[in-house]
Amino acid sequence: MRNTLIKFSIKKALLGVALTVFCMGITGVAFAYNLMGYVWSNPKGLGYYFASGTPSDIQTAASEGANAWNNASSLIYIGAGGSKNVYIKTVSQSGSAFSGMTDLKLGWDSKISSAAITINTAAISNYTSLEKKGTLAHEIGHAFGLGESGDLWALMYPYDSERIYRGTYVPRDDDKQGIDAMY
């Protein structure tokens, strides 16, 4: 009798776990976003500006990427000029596979005080304008304080090739949930 009770309890527990996993899959509750642990004091007052000589296609992609974030959440805003705390520059490193990277500078209060986005034009030279927009939007996500996501469909997924394959060029649910968790 005791063995039967134990077997029944184990089966009941496994059924509960399976049902929980199934329900999470249906509702999409599994969060994959990662936060870097740093935020802006005023995430609605960010301004980006370009290094001298930044190509016009990169400027357009940055503007479209910023607008994608502005449309994704009312908790954040980044525009051209203004406070000028997000600097965008380009390099051409044909031997390097990185398409972009973002460095954050922290203030005395451990809040983000500025961000520097570097785009490798050699790595994205064959990208379409939509793919460049996705790359800039991804880096702007880092500028807001988001880390890489484990969600294959997220804009903050670390690999351009996967985001391009899935057509992810703007923030998706996981990205928005990350912003909501931060701000």
Side-chain angles (χ1 to χ4, degrees):
M1 175 83 173
R2 184 167 187 240
N3 278 345
T4 306
L5 224 69
I6 292 172
K7 287 180 185 177
F8 176 74
S9 295
I10 291 172
K11 286 181 183 179
K12 188 175 175 183
L14 289 175
L15 179 62
V17 168
L19 186 58
T20 301
V21 169
F22 176 74
C23 289
M24 286 179 72
I26 288 175
T27 61
V29 175
F31 303 115
Y33 61 81
N34 287 307
L35 311 176
M36 290 193 274
Y38 304 108
V39 297
W40 292 88
S41 295
N42 180 12
K44 292 177 114 180
L46 304 183
Y48 61 88
Y49 65 107
F50 300 99
S52 177
T54 300
S56 62
D57 63 329
I58 301 300
Q59 292 185 35
T60 299
S63 174
E64 292 173 355
N67 287 337
W69 278 107
N70 294 339
N71 293 331
S73 174
S74 62
L75 300 175
I76 56 174
Y77 180 82
I78 183 168
S83 58
K84 294 187 176 184
N85 39 20
V86 178
Y87 178 63
I88 301 173
K89 67 179 181 171
T90 58
V91 296
S92 182
Q93 296 180 356
S94 58
S96 181
F98 88 94
S99 59
M101 65 179 160
T102 301
D103 295 312
L104 302 177
K105 183 178 178 185
L106 303 180
W108 61 270
D109 57 356
S110 295
K111 305 269 187 191
I112 304 170
S113 61
S114 65
I117 295 173
T118 304
I119 300 298
N120 184 2
T121 56
I124 67 170
S125 63
N126 294 324
Y127 283 18
T128 66
S129 59
L130 195 56
E131 293 164 353
K132 289 176 184 177
K133 168 188 171 178
T135 300
L136 267 293
H138 175 88
E139 295 306 324
I140 291 169
H142 286 314
F144 277 116
L146 286 173
E148 306 289 4
S149 174
D151 181 344
L152 288 168
W153 291 93
L155 178 63
M156 296 312 296
Y157 191 74
Y159 302 106
D160 288 0
S161 59
E162 291 295 328
R163 293 192 315 269
I164 290 168
Y165 174 75
R166 287 175 175 71
T168 303
Y169 308 113
V170 298
R172 301 264 180 110
D173 287 341
D174 187 69
D175 308 302
K176 295 172 191 177
Q177 291 166 354
I179 291 294
D180 288 347
M182 289 170 44
Y183 298 106

